[in-house]
Amino acid sequence: MLRSEASANLGSVPSKRLKMQYATGLLLKFQICVSRGYRRVFEEYMRVISQRYPDIRIEGENDLPQPIHRHIASFLSVFKLVLIGLIIVGKDPFAFFGMQAPSIWQWGQENKVYAYMMVFFLSNMIENQCMSTGAFEITLNDVHVWSKLESGHLPSMQQLVQILDNEMKLNVHMDSIPHHRS
């Protein structure tokens, strides 16, 4: 998704920009795990980088988990709601299948509030684990410059600025070299 200077919403619909100015210059792209709370870190980095390097375009997008994990999380979300509904209403789904209700179901019927909370919090915990990738990947002009998945930690602002400074120096040096055709 593209990021304009006025908007840093990772969840918004991408805007269509076909202007030539967006096709040139350095592009710093963040691919982050929003469910881990890295959105705030991205926004802070974006604010500082935009002030220090006004010519760098910045994009941010959510790093999506594998499709199987997304499907598991979706299933759990629906299953949680059905199970909570059955707990609240007091219907025994095991009787529908001609089975005897297990003791945990009977406990849940006697302690509806605790059962509701347990189902809600446990399923949310599993859903979050399924949806979380832990990614905070940074590319500069399609060159991978930082990976939280590989390094195990987020870059400090100083590290990121140093990477950008080195890239800027390299670009200035490469632009000063005459290009010859063979």
Side-chain angles (χ1 to χ4, degrees):
M1 286 187 204
L2 293 176
R3 199 273 311 157
S4 69
E5 279 70 34
S7 167
N9 296 332
L10 290 172
S12 65
V13 178
S15 58
K16 297 178 181 177
R17 294 186 187 93
L18 299 175
K19 295 180 181 177
M20 184 57 95
Q21 66 183 11
Y22 289 106
T24 61
L26 291 176
L27 170 63
L28 187 65
K29 187 173 184 177
F30 290 80
Q31 196 168 14
I32 66 172
C33 176
V34 176
S35 64
R36 286 270 176 110
Y38 295 150
R39 181 182 186 149
R40 193 174 326 133
V41 175
F42 162 72
E43 289 172 351
E44 177 66 20
Y45 284 9
M46 183 182 66
R47 184 185 62 74
V48 171
I49 292 167
S50 294
Q51 289 174 352
R52 186 172 175 126
Y53 307 100
D55 295 335
I56 293 180
R57 291 181 300 131
I58 302 172
E59 290 182 6
E61 64 184 22
N62 188 11
D63 184 51
L64 295 175
Q66 296 176 357
I68 187 71
H69 290 139
R70 289 194 314 257
H71 293 304
I72 290 170
S74 294
F75 171 78
L76 278 174
S77 181
V78 171
F79 182 72
K80 167 184 62 181
L81 295 175
V82 169
L83 192 57
I84 288 172
L86 289 171
I87 290 170
I88 291 172
V89 173
K91 293 290 183 179
D92 183 3
F94 299 99
F96 180 73
F97 297 108
M99 300 169 55
Q100 183 178 347
S103 59
I104 192 158
W105 182 260
Q106 293 169 351
W107 174 86
Q109 289 304 303
E110 294 167 6
N111 303 287
K112 290 184 182 212
V113 173
Y114 293 121
Y116 164 81
M117 289 179 11
M118 186 172 63
V119 168
F120 182 80
F121 289 116
L122 285 176
S123 65
N124 279 352
M125 182 180 67
I126 296 169
E127 288 173 50
N128 285 337
Q129 281 297 114
C130 287
M131 293 302 290
S132 178
T133 62
F136 196 91
E137 311 302 295
I138 304 172
T139 57
L140 185 62
N141 285 349
D142 294 326
V143 175
H144 209 83
V145 295
W146 189 270
S147 173
K148 189 257 179 194
L149 298 175
E150 292 174 9
S151 68
H153 61 90
L154 298 176
S156 67
M157 184 57 74
Q158 183 180 2
Q159 288 172 315
L160 189 54
V161 166
Q162 185 177 7
I163 289 169
L164 293 174
D165 282 343
N166 290 340
E167 183 63 30
M168 298 292 256
K169 288 176 189 173
L170 181 63
N171 278 348
V172 168
H173 178 70
M174 293 303 285
D175 289 343
S176 66
I177 298 174
H179 299 289
H180 298 287
R181 291 188 181 180
S182 306

